[in-house]
Amino acid sequence: MKFIHAADLHLDSPFEGLRQLPEPVWQLIYQAPFKATQQLVDQAIDQEVAFVLLAGDLFDRETQSVAAQLFLNEQLQRLIDAQIGVYLCFGNHDYQTANQAIDLPEGVHVFVSTVSTMTLTTRNQKRVAISGFSYPTRWLETDMAAQFPVRGDVDYHIGMLHGALRQSGTNHYAPFTLDELRETHYDYWALGHIHKPEVLQEQPPIVYAGTIQGRHKNEAGEHGYTLVRSQDTRLVPSFVPVNPVDWVTLAITVTDQQSETELIDLVFEQLSRLTDETTFKLVSLTLTNVEALPGQVVAQLNNGNWFDRLSQLQEDQYEANRCWIYETHSQPAATDIHYSQLDAEFWKAAQADVFTGDELTKAAGKKLLSYPFLADHLLASTTLEDTQERAENELLQQARLEADDHAD
Ligand SMILES: [Mn+2]
């Protein structure tokens, strides 16, 4: 017997942070979760699996575009037509209230908000029980794991749970402990919610399938689904990547590039070594040792002109190269090389005092911070890091200009 366990398709994710990219590039990213899902269905049919489990967060939001709903229905219908069972639950992103039920193809099995068990018999006469539930609300603090029945009188019993391991702090997502899952004596736990694929226990397997397509740089690496095969009485999972897009970082140490163009050539040359046929790469670029560049080029880096030029050139190349640099960071090799010893000490002391959430809050003022989305952005650690990086680069550039003046 074979089956597929997937979770966190997050269809219709808006990819807001990438809206500034050219439309065809954004489309390529927006379509990636759909493409990955289509591949899963193609492979489920090819592999003649007995059933497919979808463990929550099929959609990114509780309301979806009509196009996204139609897409999912088409894909599920393909499985049904191939006589593959479909079992799904909704998670914290696509939780379903009673008056919000979406129309799924006939034959799709959907878990309701209380734990229930469905059984099936496979073509080779194996009896399988599947227990699970759906989220009725965004947050679900109840100990749902405790409500799963103990193993039934079947060949395989599978638990489907969208949730997170119980933590000491907040537990909004059907918190569970490994012991609770073990005590059910199930043959497989199909988990959803955590986006990184992870095996929590080898046998009997307790597995996070992970999201089918990483959606930002913190979700880099391979993403896909879990193909599970029976071997005697055991169920053995293996991971199958299907992500069309991959998030990567490229770090380049600049040396003696004399102009913007030379720097761009260097980047394209390094980029070509990174790319391959398997996935489209979204690249975060870091240039280090920028103090080696002429002051003019550093200025172009800092004011964004260099990145604009790079982006223009990318428009002609991204299809062939199968990659897009969506952000750049630049930094000196060593923070204090260009300042005198005294300046470096002042900088370090000031840095610790100035680049804090409190200081940024003061600078922004109360009015701006009353908007939650602005407050979230301003107080994010990445905003502080970016601000500090820019300030350092500005200081570096000024130090350079002063040094150049003295040289004249
Ligand atoms: Mn999710």
Side-chain angles (χ1 to χ4, degrees):
M1 179 191 73
K2 279 186 285 193
F3 69 89
I4 280 176
H5 157 211
D8 298 272
L9 309 180
H10 283 271
L11 298 173
D12 216 10
S13 285
F15 292 100
E16 293 289 2
L18 299 173
R19 264 298 184 186
Q20 80 285 5
L21 299 189
E23 179 66 17
V25 181
W26 181 83
Q27 274 294 342
L28 201 143
I29 300 158
Y30 171 77
Q31 292 296 341
F34 294 95
K35 271 201 171 154
T37 303
Q38 190 158 358
Q39 280 209 58
L40 176 152
V41 172
D42 291 349
Q43 293 170 16
I45 295 168
D46 276 359
Q47 293 272 338
E48 299 183 336
V49 301
F51 53 92
V52 170
L53 306 177
L54 300 172
D57 285 5
L58 281 60
F59 294 108
D60 191 55
R61 287 160 291 183
E62 69 271 25
T63 52
Q64 309 85 32
S65 68
V66 173
Q69 275 191 36
L70 280 176
F71 168 85
L72 184 69
N73 281 1
E74 251 173 51
Q75 298 306 315
L76 299 184
Q77 189 63 54
R78 289 177 63 209
L79 292 171
I80 302 277
D81 291 346
Q83 280 163 19
I84 295 170
V86 181
Y87 296 82
L88 63 85
C89 65
F90 294 106
N92 55 298
H93 273 261
D94 55 357
Y95 67 92
Q96 303 281 312
T97 55
N99 55 7
Q100 215 184 26
I102 59 169
D103 276 333
L104 289 163
E106 205 174 319
V108 171
H109 304 278
V110 182
F111 285 98
V112 293
S113 61
T114 49
V115 176
S116 64
T117 301
M118 305 188 198
T119 52
L120 69 119
T121 306
T122 65
R123 252 170 276 169
N124 47 4
Q125 301 306 308
K126 295 290 179 198
R127 286 176 314 124
V128 182
I130 303 164
S131 299
F133 66 91
S134 284
Y135 280 53
T137 46
R138 189 182 300 281
W139 286 349
L140 187 55
E141 277 135 5
T142 321
D143 182 355
M144 297 302 288
Q147 297 175 22
F148 279 71
V150 290
R151 193 181 191 292
D153 180 21
V154 287
D155 293 300
Y156 303 105
H157 198 140
I158 298 168
M160 228 163 101
L161 194 163
H162 189 91
L165 277 168
R166 185 172 285 283
Q167 314 269 323
S168 50
T170 48
N171 288 285
H172 291 319
Y173 307 108
F176 64 90
T177 66
L178 281 180
D179 278 342
E180 279 179 306
L181 304 194
R182 287 183 190 120
E183 280 160 17
T184 59
H185 300 290
Y186 288 3
D187 303 281
Y188 187 92
W189 274 96
L191 306 182
H193 184 61
I194 299 297
H195 285 189
K196 189 177 160 56
E198 196 181 352
V199 175
L200 297 185
Q201 176 175 284
E202 291 285 342
Q203 277 300 328
I206 301 177
V207 179
Y208 275 114
T211 184
I212 202 159
Q213 165 64 59
R215 293 177 309 143
H216 42 75
K217 63 178 170 186
N218 299 336
E219 294 180 0
E222 290 188 323
H223 287 274
Y225 63 84
T226 307
L227 178 66
V228 188
R229 291 184 178 83
S230 61
Q231 284 179 10
D232 304 323
T233 57
R234 284 147 57 112
L235 294 175
V236 180
S238 57
F239 174 72
V240 183
V242 287
N243 57 300
V245 168
D246 199 3
W247 301 81
V248 293
T249 49
L250 174 63
I252 299 180
T253 304
V254 301
T255 51
D256 56 352
Q257 286 69 35
Q258 290 304 309
S259 65
E260 283 177 78
T261 313
E262 278 187 36
L263 188 57
I264 283 175
D265 289 346
L266 172 73
V267 169
F268 277 129
E269 190 247 325
Q270 299 264 329
L271 203 57
S272 66
R273 296 185 200 177
L274 189 85
T275 56
D276 59 48
E277 287 301 304
T278 55
T279 56
F280 186 92
K281 307 278 189 290
L282 282 172
V283 183
S284 168
L285 171 69
T286 300
L287 299 171
T288 39
N289 198 34
V290 291
E291 69 268 38
L293 297 169
Q296 167 68 14
V297 179
V298 176
Q300 297 290 311
L301 283 175
N302 284 345
N303 65 22
N305 287 349
W306 182 82
F307 185 56
D308 288 347
R309 178 134 178 243
L310 179 75
S311 300
Q312 274 168 16
L313 291 170
Q314 290 199 97
E315 294 213 23
D316 301 327
Q317 307 211 12
Y318 78 91
E319 274 176 301
N321 294 351
R322 294 185 49 72
C323 61
W324 185 275
I325 298 170
Y326 65 96
E327 65 173 14
T328 56
H329 299 274
S330 52
Q331 59 196 39
T335 44
D336 48 16
I337 281 181
H338 263 276
Y339 321 123
S340 69
Q341 193 55 39
L342 192 62
D343 285 348
E345 276 168 31
F346 277 124
W347 166 249
K348 274 192 184 139
Q351 194 177 11
D353 291 339
V354 171
F355 295 98
T356 65
D358 278 355
E359 288 299 319
L360 219 57
T361 311
K362 256 191 250 164
K366 272 201 183 121
K367 184 128 197 264
L368 283 182
L369 288 165
S370 66
Y371 298 98
F373 72 98
L374 278 178
D376 281 354
H377 172 72
L378 281 168
L379 301 177
S381 62
T382 48
T383 308
L384 279 172
E385 281 162 25
D386 283 352
T387 314
Q388 189 169 322
E389 182 185 299
R390 274 163 196 246
E392 267 180 81
N393 287 341
E394 282 296 328
L395 284 173
L396 179 75
Q397 190 204 353
Q398 283 191 15
R400 281 202 62 102
L401 290 177
E402 280 167 26
D404 287 351
D405 281 350
H406 292 308
D408 289 342

